[in-house]
Amino acid sequence: MAPMKRVRRVIDDGDSDGEEAESASPSVREATVTRKRARISQPEASLHSRSAQARADSDSDGCQDEMAGVDSDKDDMGYEQRRDAGFEDLEDEDLDTQRATQIIRKRNEKFIENLPAENGIIESVTCINFMCHNKFHISLGPLINFIIGFNGSGKSAILTAITLCLGGKANSTNRGGSLKAFVKEGRESATLIVKLKNGGYGFQQEIYGDSIIVERHFTKTGSSGFKLKSAAGRVISNKKADLEEICDYFALQIDNPMNVLTQDMSRQFLNNSTPTDKYRFFVKGVQLEQLDQDYQLLEETIDLIESRLKTRDDDIHVLENRAKKAMAKLEMSDKHDKLRGRIRDYMRQMAWSQVEQEENKLATLELELQEAVSSIEEAERKASTVDQVFDEANLAHERGAEKLREVRETISPMLEKKKQVKDRFDGNKGELMQLHLEQRTIRDHLKNADKRIENYRADIATENQRLEDANDGNHLRRIAEIERAKKEVVDARYEYDQHSSLAAGIEDSVRTAEQELSRASFPIEAKKAEIKACESVMGSLIRDRGQHLSAFHPNMPKLLQAIRNEQRFRERPVGPIGNHIKLLKPVWSSILERSFGATLTSFIVTSKSDQDTLAYLMKRENCSCPILIGNNQPIDTSGSEPDPRYDTSLRVLEIDSDIVRRQLIINQAIEQTILIESRHEAQRFMYGGARPRNVKQCFCFNENRKGWGIRFGFRGSDESSAPMQPMDAKPRMKTDADSQISYQREILGDLQRELNDLERHGEELRNRLRARKQALQIHQRQHKDLHVKIQRAEETTERLQDEMERDTVQDGRLQALEGLLREAEEDKAIIEGSYEEAVTQKDKLNAIAKELSSELRAIDREVADIEAKIKKTETKALKLSQARQAALLEKNSAFQKIDDAKLEKPRAESRHEAQSRRVEEFIEQARKVSERVPVDPGETPGSLDKKLEKLTNDLNRFNREIGGSPEEIARRAQETAEAYQTAKKQLEQLDEMGQMLKFALIERQNRWRKFRKFISARARAQFTYLLSERSFRGALKTDHRRHTLDLQVEPDETRSGKGRQTKTLSGGEKSFSTICLLLSLWEAMGSPIRCLDEFDVFMDNVNRDINAARRSVGRQFVLITPNSLGNVNMADDVKVIKLNDPKEKGQTTLSFASEGGS
């Protein structure tokens, strides 16, 4: 249901003039700034107060009499019949019309200047990408505005923009079904801006100022949003509810079709509307329909309350019965006090019987303690006896062990003798084996000698045959060929040696080139690593810009949060140190970061306890950092700093902590570390003369390696220098990120150029190595060819020599073979003699082996006899050892029993003491129940527990029968009584509220009928008066029974008849009469803004005068027409806005011209 707008109130208290007050007028609004419209859904308290007031008012008007018949009539008639009450208020319409006519004439006789309203009117409208407009702005006058232009120029879009921007629905404009239909073709979103005047007693004037700017933005996708801005452009809210509150305050009835009439609505109302349509426009425009719907909802609410009251009556009876039953159970529970007394008596005996039980346990423990003392004495006596038995067994064991040693000593000489004989036997056996091998070798030699003799004899026979066949044909020719072949071999060898001498040089050149290339690859890889590290640092700087802690350990934020949360520090640690330092000159970042090292990640504390606490936090958060101990006393370095013309580490750093400054001065000597960019200037400063005053070291840049630095210092009296590598991590000191990134880019560019130079040099070395390897391969192929040439020459020479040797008679070969035969025969004779000597020696060794074997068997028999004697002695010694062991175990057991008894005594004492304390505790707990009471004879805690359990079960059974313990029953009785009283009170309040709502509904329906009566009379009188302005006469026929509203108009003042219907009028006369009806209804509505599109389409110039609009003092009119206004009386209260003719379909920014006063 649409929100109810503020409407005209009619006051009829019997005033002779029937004076009216308009709620929309500025004077009334000033007096009712804080008044809000009451809604059906308002809280109960508000309904109560308003209903009470309504009842008080209705009492004065006789509503008590009407209430008597409301319930009885309710079932006999419908809502509309009860609302209209037989239309008794409309029985004398002529008298009502006469009164309204007198009021209008009296008011019109007075001259009232048409002044602009102080608030609630539109100052300007702006459209962006809306319908046909790209960007369109229009300023409206405070009173009468005419917007003229050709069709398609965007006139109607202005009213549509006003409706949508002030919260109206898209379908109420009759121009589109949703917001996305209003976005201009080719655009994704649209924006509407309406500026409302907010002067005088405006809406929240102290917040919004003199104007309220309403801005609505919506897109093609259907999303939409509002912005409410102050006169200064500051966004105050983006809620539509706040916009609705503003529209309610100013009575801007945007969704009311009578207030903003679009082209279609104007055409329908002015030309095509039937009496029923006009009546529907009338009741909707003056809010009669809205009020009727609200009162109908109120009646439904009253019916719902009455139905709930009937249900609640039954609930009240149920709660009342529950309360009575609970009180009855409480009275019954009080009768069982005797049973509870017996339970209490048994509980006392139960408590003290447990005390007696524990006291009996204490007496038992006292006896155990006495037994422990007796056990110690008995164990000591038994231990003394067992000790004597062990001494005797130990003495016998020692004697048996001595005898065993004596017997074992007799076997040692026999074993030694056996070993000697065995060694001799083994030696003889080895000689036999060796002699056997020699015999086998001699036999092999004999076989070989026989074979050689046979071969020599065959060779002699063959040689004899060859000598017989020998000749002397080609011997000299072959000798010449052999000499030539030998000369070719010598020449090939010379050429081969000469070629081989060059190989070493070529191979050396290849190795040299490989070494040079290898040496060149290391700088390239190192340079690539530097570039990668530089890119990583630069990427980190760009990625983590503004996140300084990212240069430290990943868990550093957690550690810092833990330090902030820790309360045990005497003084909160300072760190990490790098987080407290800002580098003013970023070019020194890498060198100083390298110089400071891990110091920048350190934390500083002022005590050992703080150091331990911080170390614990670091371990817990897994973030280990160095911890330094210092103090906050500042150090004055004014007398120990070098020449102020030079930068020092201290001068390029901004340190925000004195304790950090102190630590860097002590550990890093930052006040005496000079920074000079030029290497030559740094060397001249440090070593060019006397040693600089107050300078310990100097840092400079290495111009040959970008990013690298050099440290110049002193080692004793000697000069020292060392290179400083660039940092490959993010800077830990604060600095200007852009400068740092720029510096890293410079370093990266220089490194890339150096890498390109190194890669070009490496490519030259690779080409050189490739050429030298090719030369080596060619040399190796030639070397192989020469070697093949030598081999072929040698093979030719050998072949020729072999052929000549085969064909040449060999002198002396026969004699040589015969000599070899004789030598072979002599060798055979010598081998046969050696074999005979070996056989003789073998016989001697076999005889010695037999003797030694007999001697070994005799010794083995003697050793077996001694071993049997030893075994017998060992058995006896074992028995004595076992007896000693048993005595020892018994002795140890006896002494262990003494120790156990001594240990048992303190345990018994401890149990005794614990039981004593337990008895005291039981006594203390029992006294909490009662003082000591005698326990019945024969009763134990178990028997008492059974009796107590039986009585408790009886009581519980009774409690269950009555529904709980006495405490629960008492609580339940109280709760049910309170629930009954609360429900009864709520029922009374609900009934009272229902009665008040009935009174309020009757009163409101009475006032609704009065409002309908007076608003109808006002419209009829105003319509007649407006017709008379143009010498027309006529009447406005309102039939509330048939829901019709019709016009009767006569174009002149002659009274020839009863008037004519609108169908018989000309187009202009019909439009003029309908406009008079519209103005009459507007006067009844009271809205400050009135909009009408194409109001004069069928009017002639005679009927287009605007004086009737001027009589609506303070109202703003927005009238749209495609016609010219040549016949309109222009004045200061009229503003004419003329739109340009559209040039193309997609209209661009439109300008406008103003005519007349503004």
Side-chain angles (χ1 to χ4, degrees):
M1 184 174 62
M4 183 171 64
K5 311 300 181 181
R6 294 193 302 169
V7 298
R8 182 188 305 274
R9 293 184 297 111
V10 179
I11 301 175
D12 184 13
D13 294 331
D15 195 326
S16 59
D17 294 332
E19 189 175 290
E20 300 177 0
E22 298 179 0
S23 62
S25 63
S27 60
V28 175
R29 286 205 302 270
E30 293 173 3
T32 58
V33 172
T34 59
R35 183 172 63 85
K36 302 294 181 183
R37 180 178 60 86
R39 298 180 184 268
I40 296 302
S41 58
Q42 59 188 332
E44 183 178 333
S46 176
L47 284 172
H48 179 79
S49 61
R50 292 181 181 273
S51 300
Q53 181 63 37
R55 185 170 62 182
D57 294 341
S58 62
D59 288 343
S60 63
D61 293 337
C63 286
Q64 292 284 3
D65 298 333
E66 297 183 15
M67 278 299 301
V70 168
D71 295 333
S72 60
D73 295 341
K74 201 167 188 180
D75 299 332
D76 299 334
M77 63 179 68
Y79 168 76
E80 292 186 358
Q81 291 177 319
R82 292 193 300 274
R83 179 200 64 194
D84 294 331
F87 297 99
E88 294 178 359
D89 56 312
L90 303 177
E91 292 178 353
D92 198 355
E93 290 187 354
D94 294 337
L95 179 60
D96 297 335
T97 304
Q98 184 179 0
R99 280 186 178 183
T101 304
Q102 291 174 357
I103 294 172
I104 293 173
R105 286 178 178 176
K106 184 177 179 181
R107 186 186 64 182
N108 291 335
E109 289 173 357
K110 301 177 182 179
F111 174 75
I112 301 176
E113 186 178 358
N114 187 15
L115 297 177
E118 294 183 347
N119 49 50
I121 61 176
I122 299 174
E123 294 182 335
S124 65
V125 180
T126 303
C127 305
I128 301 175
N129 297 333
F130 180 74
M131 295 180 72
C132 63
H133 299 293
N134 281 336
K135 185 173 182 182
F136 176 66
H137 177 81
I138 182 173
S139 296
L140 297 178
L143 295 173
I144 302 174
N145 295 271
F146 285 97
I147 301 176
I148 63 176
F150 293 99
N151 290 333
S153 59
K155 305 185 300 301
S156 300
I158 298 173
L159 293 189
T160 304
I162 293 173
T163 302
L164 295 178
C165 190
L166 295 182
K169 298 178 181 178
N171 54 11
S172 67
T173 64
N174 294 327
R175 304 300 293 269
S178 62
L179 287 175
K180 59 185 179 181
F182 294 99
V183 180
K184 186 176 180 181
E185 187 70 25
R187 302 293 193 272
E188 295 298 323
S189 63
T191 301
L192 301 175
I193 303 172
V194 173
K195 186 176 182 182
L196 299 176
K197 190 175 182 181
N198 196 40
Y201 290 92
F203 179 80
Q204 298 181 6
Q205 221 268 344
E206 69 282 359
I207 297 176
Y208 288 94
D210 294 334
S211 297
I212 298 176
I213 300 174
V214 182
E215 182 176 325
R216 186 172 191 179
H217 178 81
F218 48 92
T219 65
K220 278 282 190 182
T221 60
S223 61
S224 173
F226 291 91
K227 288 184 181 179
L228 302 180
K229 298 181 180 180
S230 65
R234 182 170 62 91
V235 177
I236 305 300
S237 174
N238 55 8
K239 299 178 181 178
K240 186 178 180 181
D242 294 337
L243 174 60
E244 292 176 351
E245 187 176 1
I246 293 172
C247 291
D248 284 348
Y249 185 85
F250 292 133
L252 300 177
Q253 303 171 29
I254 298 301
D255 279 334
N256 192 333
M258 291 294 296
N259 195 41
V260 180
L261 269 77
T262 60
Q263 284 185 8
D264 296 334
M265 294 299 294
S266 298
R267 190 175 299 110
Q268 181 181 355
F269 181 77
L270 296 176
N271 303 303
N272 302 324
S273 59
T274 64
T276 302
D277 294 335
K278 290 184 176 66
Y279 184 83
R280 188 172 61 253
F281 277 115
F282 169 72
V283 295
K284 184 175 292 186
V286 298
Q287 297 292 293
L288 283 172
E289 182 181 59
Q290 182 67 54
L291 290 172
D292 181 54
Q293 292 173 357
D294 287 349
Y295 297 158
Q296 189 172 359
L297 180 60
L298 180 58
E299 182 170 313
E300 293 174 359
T301 304
I302 294 172
D303 294 340
L304 179 61
I305 291 175
E306 290 179 346
S307 64
R308 290 184 178 178
L309 284 173
K310 294 179 181 178
T311 306
R312 294 296 294 272
D313 284 336
D314 298 335
D315 295 340
I316 288 296
H317 292 306
V318 172
L319 292 175
E320 184 179 9
N321 293 333
R322 287 179 183 174
K324 290 179 179 179
K325 290 179 180 179
M327 291 301 296
K329 289 182 178 180
L330 180 61
E331 294 174 357
M332 187 180 299
S333 175
D334 294 339
K335 297 179 181 179
H336 288 73
D337 289 340
K338 184 177 180 180
L339 179 61
R340 296 189 185 96
R342 290 180 61 191
I343 291 175
R344 286 192 293 270
D345 182 52
Y346 280 136
M347 289 180 66
R348 296 189 191 99
Q349 292 191 39
M350 180 70 176
W352 288 105
S353 67
Q354 292 178 3
V355 172
E356 291 181 357
Q357 189 178 39
E358 296 299 323
E359 289 175 343
N360 294 334
K361 291 181 181 179
L362 180 61
T364 302
L365 291 175
E366 289 178 353
L367 293 176
E368 290 180 358
L369 181 59
Q370 295 175 2
E371 291 177 358
V373 175
S374 300
S375 297
I376 293 173
E377 295 174 354
E378 179 65 22
E380 289 177 346
R381 286 194 299 272
K382 188 176 181 180
S384 178
T385 303
V386 172
D387 189 38
Q388 293 177 0
V389 174
F390 172 75
D391 291 341
E392 293 174 358
N394 187 47
L395 180 61
H397 174 264
E398 290 178 353
R399 290 173 181 171
E402 181 64 25
K403 187 174 182 179
L404 179 61
R405 281 195 299 272
E406 291 176 356
V407 174
R408 284 176 176 172
E409 288 176 355
T410 59
I411 198 173
S412 297
M414 295 304 298
L415 293 176
E416 182 65 25
K417 182 178 179 181
K418 180 181 178 180
K419 181 178 182 301
Q420 293 175 357
V421 175
K422 185 70 169 56
D423 291 342
R424 287 166 56 198
F425 178 80
D426 292 339
N428 184 71
K429 186 178 180 180
E431 291 179 0
L432 279 172
M433 292 294 294
Q434 184 65 31
L435 186 60
H436 181 70
L437 293 174
E438 289 179 358
Q439 285 180 346
R440 182 181 297 174
T441 303
I442 291 171
R443 284 195 297 270
D444 293 339
H445 287 334
L446 284 174
K447 291 179 181 179
N448 292 333
D450 291 339
K451 189 175 181 180
R452 285 201 306 274
I453 290 171
E454 184 180 355
N455 291 334
Y456 287 150
R457 287 174 179 172
D459 289 341
I460 290 172
T462 302
E463 182 64 19
N464 288 327
Q465 183 64 36
R466 191 186 67 81
L467 289 175
E468 293 176 358
D469 298 334
N471 62 69
D472 55 359
N474 299 320
H475 186 68
L476 295 176
R477 180 179 56 79
R478 290 180 176 176
I479 291 176
E481 289 177 356
I482 290 172
E483 291 298 327
R484 285 194 301 271
K486 288 181 177 180
K487 185 176 184 304
E488 290 177 359
V489 171
V490 171
D491 293 340
R493 287 186 180 278
Y494 177 77
E495 186 178 358
Y496 179 81
D497 293 339
Q498 290 295 322
H499 189 270
S500 298
S501 63
L502 300 176
I506 296 174
E507 291 175 352
D508 289 342
S509 66
V510 171
R511 283 193 294 273
T512 301
E514 288 176 343
Q515 292 173 359
E516 290 178 352
L517 181 60
S518 177
R519 287 193 298 269
S521 64
F522 291 112
I524 292 174
E525 295 302 322
K527 193 62 64 178
K528 288 181 178 179
E530 290 182 25
I531 291 174
K532 186 176 181 180
C534 185
E535 290 175 343
S536 176
V537 171
M538 188 171 69
S540 299
L541 289 172
I542 296 173
R543 183 177 60 256
D544 301 330
R545 182 179 300 184
Q547 301 178 6
H548 180 64
L549 289 179
S550 61
F552 297 94
H553 194 281
N555 292 337
M556 183 62 71
K558 294 183 179 179
L559 176 61
L560 294 177
Q561 184 63 37
I563 291 174
R564 286 191 291 269
N565 295 337
E566 184 60 51
Q567 303 296 327
R568 291 178 292 174
F569 288 117
R570 294 182 181 177
E571 291 188 26
R572 197 167 301 282
V574 177
I577 290 179
N579 199 33
H580 295 271
I581 302 174
K582 181 178 181 181
L583 181 60
L584 303 179
K585 294 188 176 182
V587 294
W588 295 103
S589 175
S590 179
I591 292 177
L592 292 182
E593 291 271 351
R594 178 66 67 182
S595 172
F596 293 155
T599 303
L600 294 177
T601 62
S602 303
F603 283 79
I604 306 174
V605 297
T606 57
S607 64
K608 183 64 170 63
S609 62
D610 287 352
Q611 183 186 23
D612 295 339
T613 303
L614 181 57
Y616 166 75
L617 293 179
M618 289 181 177
K619 183 177 180 181
R620 188 186 71 184
E621 300 298 337
N622 193 21
C623 181
S624 179
C625 300
I627 303 176
L628 307 175
I629 298 180
N631 57 65
N632 292 318
Q633 296 180 359
I635 297 179
D636 184 11
T637 60
S638 59
S640 60
E641 293 192 28
D643 192 334
R645 294 177 300 171
Y646 297 97
D647 284 336
T648 64
S649 297
L650 178 60
R651 292 168 185 168
V652 299
L653 299 179
E654 183 179 301
I655 305 173
D656 61 8
S657 173
D658 289 338
I659 194 170
V660 172
R661 181 176 181 273
R662 178 184 178 87
Q663 288 298 322
L664 291 178
I665 290 173
I666 294 174
N667 297 332
Q668 301 293 331
I670 59 174
E671 84 284 9
Q672 294 183 352
T673 300
I674 291 290
L675 304 177
I676 301 176
E677 295 186 6
S678 173
R679 175 178 181 176
H680 300 293
E681 185 179 353
Q683 285 180 314
R684 181 187 57 78
F685 176 80
M686 293 294 291
Y687 310 132
R691 183 168 179 171
R693 180 174 173 270
N694 295 332
V695 175
K696 290 186 177 180
Q697 58 186 353
C698 176
F699 295 150
C700 68
F701 295 137
N702 187 342
E703 62 273 10
N704 297 325
R705 303 185 71 179
K706 191 69 173 180
W708 286 64
I710 302 176
R711 175 192 174 278
F712 293 115
F714 298 94
R715 185 174 298 159
S717 59
D718 297 332
E719 301 174 356
S720 67
S721 64
M724 301 182 71
Q725 294 183 359
M727 283 294 292
D728 55 356
K730 275 194 63 179
R732 294 164 292 178
M733 294 184 291
K734 298 178 181 178
T735 184
D736 179 46
D738 294 334
S739 301
Q740 191 69 264
I741 293 171
S742 177
Y743 181 66
Q744 287 295 330
R745 284 195 177 117
E746 293 179 5
I747 295 177
L748 182 61
D750 292 341
L751 292 175
Q752 192 64 49
R753 286 190 292 272
E754 293 175 2
L755 176 62
N756 294 337
D757 295 340
L758 291 173
E759 288 179 342
R760 281 195 297 271
H761 180 62
E763 186 63 26
E764 293 175 358
L765 293 177
R766 277 191 291 273
N767 293 334
R768 186 184 304 170
L769 175 61
R770 193 178 301 111
R772 292 182 179 180
K773 284 185 176 181
Q774 291 175 355
L776 179 61
Q777 291 174 356
I778 294 171
H779 182 273
Q780 289 174 346
R781 286 197 299 269
Q782 293 176 351
H783 184 77
K784 185 177 181 181
D785 294 341
L786 292 174
H787 187 265
V788 171
K789 184 178 180 180
I790 292 173
Q791 288 179 341
R792 289 176 179 174
E794 289 177 344
E795 289 175 356
T796 301
T797 302
E798 291 176 356
R799 179 176 55 78
L800 293 175
Q801 288 178 346
D802 290 341
E803 291 176 355
M804 189 181 70
E805 287 176 355
R806 285 195 301 270
D807 297 337
T808 303
V809 178
Q810 299 181 0
D811 297 334
R813 178 175 174 79
L814 182 60
Q815 292 80 3
L817 291 173
E818 291 175 348
L820 291 174
L821 178 61
R822 287 192 297 273
E823 292 177 357
E825 292 175 345
E826 292 175 356
D827 291 338
K828 180 180 178 183
I830 294 171
I831 292 171
E832 289 175 346
S834 298
Y835 184 76
E836 292 177 356
E837 292 178 358
V839 172
T840 304
Q841 184 66 25
K842 183 177 180 181
D843 294 338
K844 292 180 180 179
L845 291 176
N846 286 330
I848 294 172
K850 189 175 181 180
E851 294 176 358
L852 292 174
S853 177
S854 300
E855 188 176 359
L856 280 175
R857 286 194 294 270
I859 293 173
D860 287 337
R861 286 191 295 271
E862 293 180 4
V863 169
D865 294 339
I866 296 173
E867 288 179 347
K869 187 176 181 180
I870 291 173
K871 187 174 182 180
K872 183 178 179 180
T873 306
E874 285 179 345
T875 303
K876 186 177 182 179
L878 179 61
K879 292 180 180 180
L880 292 173
S881 176
Q882 291 175 347
R884 176 185 178 279
Q885 184 66 24
L888 177 61
L889 292 175
E890 189 174 358
K891 177 182 178 181
N892 292 338
S893 176
F895 280 96
Q896 183 64 38
K897 289 179 179 179
I898 294 173
D899 295 337
D900 293 342
K902 289 182 178 180
L903 291 175
E904 181 61 26
K905 180 182 178 182
R907 287 198 290 267
E909 291 175 348
S910 176
R911 289 196 296 271
H912 183 270
E913 292 177 0
Q915 185 62 27
S916 299
R917 291 192 298 271
R918 183 176 176 82
V919 170
E920 293 176 358
E921 291 175 358
F922 269 71
I923 293 173
E924 183 179 356
Q925 295 296 328
R927 284 175 178 169
K928 292 180 180 179
V929 178
S930 69
E931 291 299 325
R932 188 153 193 160
V933 297
V935 180
D936 295 341
E939 296 290 354
T940 64
S943 63
L944 289 172
D945 184 59
K946 291 181 180 178
K947 292 181 179 180
L948 186 61
E949 182 180 4
K950 182 178 181 302
L951 294 176
T952 304
N953 290 336
D954 293 341
L955 183 61
N956 290 336
R957 184 173 63 256
F958 170 73
N959 289 336
R960 284 195 299 272
E961 291 175 356
I962 64 175
S965 65
E967 294 79 8
E968 293 175 347
I969 293 171
R971 187 182 71 253
R972 194 175 302 141
Q974 182 180 1
E975 290 175 351
T976 53
E978 291 177 354
Y980 169 66
Q981 294 298 330
T982 301
K984 184 177 180 182
K985 184 177 180 180
Q986 289 178 350
L987 182 62
E988 293 174 352
Q989 291 175 350
L990 189 61
D991 182 62
E992 182 181 2
M993 185 181 70
Q995 295 299 322
M996 288 187 293
L997 288 177
K998 287 182 181 179
F999 285 122
L1001 177 60
I1002 294 172
E1003 173 63 17
R1004 291 181 183 224
Q1005 286 179 341
N1006 289 335
R1007 294 192 178 189
W1008 184 85
R1009 288 191 291 272
K1010 289 181 180 180
F1011 179 64
R1012 181 180 63 181
K1013 169 184 174 181
F1014 291 124
I1015 207 72
S1016 300
R1018 176 72 175 268
R1020 291 193 298 270
Q1022 186 69 26
F1023 176 73
T1024 303
Y1025 176 76
L1026 292 174
L1027 288 178
S1028 66
E1029 290 288 310
R1030 288 293 177 270
S1031 298
F1032 280 41
R1033 64 184 181 85
L1036 183 64
K1037 299 298 183 179
T1038 306
D1039 189 345
H1040 293 291
R1041 293 178 178 82
R1042 295 183 178 84
H1043 298 169
T1044 59
L1045 187 150
D1046 201 2
L1047 309 179
Q1048 290 184 355
V1049 180
E1050 190 69 28
D1052 53 45
E1053 293 182 348
T1054 62
R1055 300 188 179 272
S1056 60
K1058 297 181 180 180
R1060 290 153 48 190
Q1061 295 292 331
T1062 55
K1063 294 180 181 180
T1064 64
L1065 300 177
S1066 66
E1069 293 171 345
K1070 182 179 179 181
S1071 296
F1072 173 73
S1073 61
T1074 311
I1075 286 295
C1076 290
L1077 172 61
L1078 180 60
L1079 291 174
S1080 301
L1081 297 181
W1082 273 348
E1083 284 300 309
M1085 290 165 54
S1087 175
I1089 301 175
R1090 301 164 183 184
C1091 304
L1092 181 60
D1093 193 357
E1094 295 191 2
F1095 73 99
D1096 58 350
V1097 173
F1098 301 102
M1099 283 188 181
D1100 52 23
N1101 291 332
V1102 177
N1103 294 318
R1104 297 172 69 193
D1105 189 44
I1106 60 174
N1107 288 327
R1110 289 193 175 97
R1111 297 187 183 280
S1112 299
V1113 178
R1115 300 298 188 265
Q1116 184 182 39
F1117 289 86
V1118 179
L1119 305 174
I1120 297 177
T1121 176
N1123 301 324
S1124 62
L1125 299 176
N1127 196 40
V1128 175
N1129 182 19
M1130 298 299 176
D1132 293 339
D1133 59 349
V1134 178
K1135 181 173 183 179
V1136 179
I1137 302 168
K1138 183 177 181 181
L1139 303 185
N1140 291 343
D1141 185 15
K1143 298 178 180 179
E1144 55 186 11
K1145 185 176 181 180
Q1147 185 166 343
T1148 59
T1149 303
L1150 298 177
S1151 60
F1152 61 91
S1154 298
E1155 299 179 3
S1158 57

